Amino acid sequence: MKKLLLICSMVLLTHATSNAQFLKFGVKAGANFNSLEGDDISGLDTYTSFHFGATLEFKVLENLSIQPEVLYSSQGAKVNEENVRDINFNYITVPALAKIYLISDKLSLEAGPQFSFLVNESVPDQFESKSFDFAAVGGLGFQFTDNIFAQARYVLGLTDTSSDASIKNRVVQISLGYRF
């Protein structure tokens, strides 16, 4: 009976240890450099803001992982007109990225879709915002240590942010993170 208990304990411990290598949880935060692109847009500059949230990485193959994230992300554009407030959208974003390691467990190429849900906004009165934004994401990640990583991404909005015009989000994200 003791041998059976010892064998079961060893199998469970080995299984738990091997699963820990295939599942990694992390947190990250960083800067957003935002703009809006589309028809009849003038007088807008890059709007600097932030993002933060959680990541989860599932290792599928030796150099391939799936990395879903949940982030709070502030996006928009700076307006160059007096008495007109900047355009600001605050989203809960959910990127679902494929992560291909170019250098094993160090340098990765990341790409996939992003689903964004509008939490609140600060926009000019004539601007009517949509509550959902769909985007394509591409970028690079670098793992400095087992725990500390950095990422640089480009987020290309594919749907209009406004019901009134063809205007799409464009975001460059720079992040630092910690994996547990």
Side-chain angles (χ1 to χ4, degrees):
M1 182 66 167
K2 286 182 182 179
K3 285 183 181 181
L4 181 60
L5 186 58
L6 181 62
I7 291 171
C8 288
S9 298
M10 292 299 289
V11 168
L12 286 174
L13 183 61
T14 303
H15 181 68
T17 304
S18 68
N19 279 345
Q21 294 171 0
F22 295 104
L23 181 65
K24 296 176 183 172
F25 173 76
V27 293
K28 68 183 231 176
N32 285 348
F33 303 97
N34 313 282
S35 64
L36 294 172
E37 185 178 287
D39 299 341
D40 301 324
I41 293 183
S42 61
L44 298 179
D45 280 338
T46 300
Y47 179 74
T48 304
S49 59
F50 63 92
H51 65 275
F52 63 87
T55 70
L56 193 60
E57 183 177 341
F58 299 97
K59 195 162 208 132
V60 178
L61 300 171
E62 185 175 339
N63 288 326
L64 175 66
S65 295
I66 303 298
Q67 182 169 300
E69 301 177 352
V70 176
L71 306 172
Y72 182 87
S73 183
S74 178
Q75 300 173 20
K78 187 167 186 59
V79 178
N80 289 331
E81 295 179 32
E82 283 190 43
N83 301 322
V84 178
R85 62 181 168 218
D86 292 339
I87 298 170
N88 179 255
F89 305 107
N90 294 307
Y91 291 106
I92 298 296
T93 64
V94 183
L97 308 175
K99 192 170 182 177
I100 301 166
Y101 282 95
L102 304 173
I103 299 174
S104 188
D105 293 328
K106 284 291 182 193
L107 179 65
S108 61
L109 178 65
E110 303 167 355
Q114 176 173 286
F115 309 92
S116 300
F117 306 92
L118 188 65
V119 176
N120 62 30
E121 63 188 354
S122 173
V123 297
D125 294 332
Q126 71 274 15
F127 198 91
E128 187 176 331
S129 304
K130 288 187 176 178
S131 61
F132 178 76
D133 187 48
F134 180 70
V137 178
L140 294 172
F142 189 79
Q143 195 73 33
F144 292 104
T145 68
D146 286 342
N147 303 102
I148 299 171
F149 66 90
Q151 295 171 324
R153 293 184 182 156
Y154 185 70
V155 180
L156 177 70
L158 300 174
T159 57
D160 294 332
T161 61
S162 170
S163 301
D164 305 322
S166 178
I167 301 171
K168 296 173 176 49
N169 280 309
R170 303 292 188 252
V171 184
V172 173
Q173 290 184 329
I174 308 294
S175 310
L176 284 176
Y178 186 84
R179 286 201 300 195
F180 300 96

